[in-house]
Structure formats: structure tokens, C-alpha cells
Amino acid sequence: MAVKIKLKRLGKIRSPHYRIVVADSRTKRDGRAIEEIGVYQPTYNPSKIEVDGERAQYWLSVGAQPTEPVLAILKLTGDWQKFKGLPAPEPLKVAEPKTEDFSHLFAKAVAGFEDATTGVAITPKAKKADKADEAEAASTEA
């Protein structure tokens, strides 16, 4: 029996989450797995990757073949290099979310807006009484 380390898809239509599983190569993608050894969530920013390194090393040592996506994940985590005896990669960088302060731009825009306007309406409002007088004047002329 050929054993593969592959991704098992979970989640909604546009929100995929994957589990890194060890399964028979003949099973379907989301089918029965022998063991789950990790989690990959690409929709998070930055994407979340968790791999049980000891179990990954064990399954690689007994001959399990990783699929291409799993191989890329194992290279990122350093488990593949450890298995092959290569030097470890740099640790994964966790990007901190940008929180820029745009209040100065807002204040500048508001100040520019206040300078451009006088605060007075351009056209004066006509009162209902004035409209009635105009209607009477128009009817008497005719």
C-alpha cells in the first residue's frame, strides 16, 4: 500500500481550510485518512501553518510520499530539510497588521473643505407664501 501525505479540504465554498493528512494514495481527496498531522489555513493573513514535526518525520522515514503542495509546506516549516539532512531554512516571518493613523489626512481634508465653503446656501429657499403670491399674479395677468 502506497501512503501519501496530502491535503484534506474543509470549509465553505470560498473559505478553504486544509488538514495535512497521511492517507492511502487510492483514497479520494477528502476521504478517510490514517492520521492528521497538521493544519493549513491559507485565507488567514498571514496564512496559518501548523505541522506536528515528529509525526511528519516518522511518516517520511517509513516511506510516505508528500504531494507537491504538502512538500512546499514541509519546506516552509523546515521538516523536509530536517528529513533530508539539509540546513534549516530561516524561520517564518509573522507579518504584523498595518495600523496606520489617517486622522491627519482627515483633518487636512476637513480644513480644506471649510475654507472652500462659506456655510451659506447658494440659492435662497422660496417660502410657500411667496409661491402662492406668484401663482395669483400669474392667474390675474392671463
Side-chain angles (χ1 to χ4, degrees), residues 1-63:
M1 171 171 87
V3 178
K4 289 214 174 235
I5 303 174
K6 56 186 179 178
L7 294 177
K8 179 179 183 179
R9 190 182 195 280
L10 303 169
K12 294 187 259 183
I13 291 176
R14 288 176 186 82
S15 177
H17 300 283
Y18 298 94
R19 290 194 181 147
I20 302 169
V21 298
V22 178
D24 183 6
S25 62
R26 297 170 287 187
T27 60
K28 53 188 178 180
R29 176 189 70 177
D30 302 336
R32 189 170 165 193
I34 298 170
E35 183 180 359
E36 293 179 3
I37 61 171
V39 174
Y40 172 53
Q41 296 177 337
T43 55
Y44 288 12
N45 188 14
S47 60
K48 180 180 176 183
I49 299 172
E50 292 178 4
V51 178
D52 185 359
E54 290 180 14
R55 297 308 296 165
Q57 293 299 318
Y58 167 76
W59 283 107
L60 289 171
S61 68
V62 295

Side-chain angles (χ1 to χ4, degrees), residues 4 20 22 30 38 63-64 77-78 82 85 100 102 109 122 127 130 138:
K4 289 214 174 235
I20 302 169
V22 178
D30 302 336
T77 60
K82 188 175 180 182
E100 293 185 34
F102 292 107
I122 297 171
K127 295 183 179 178
D130 293 339

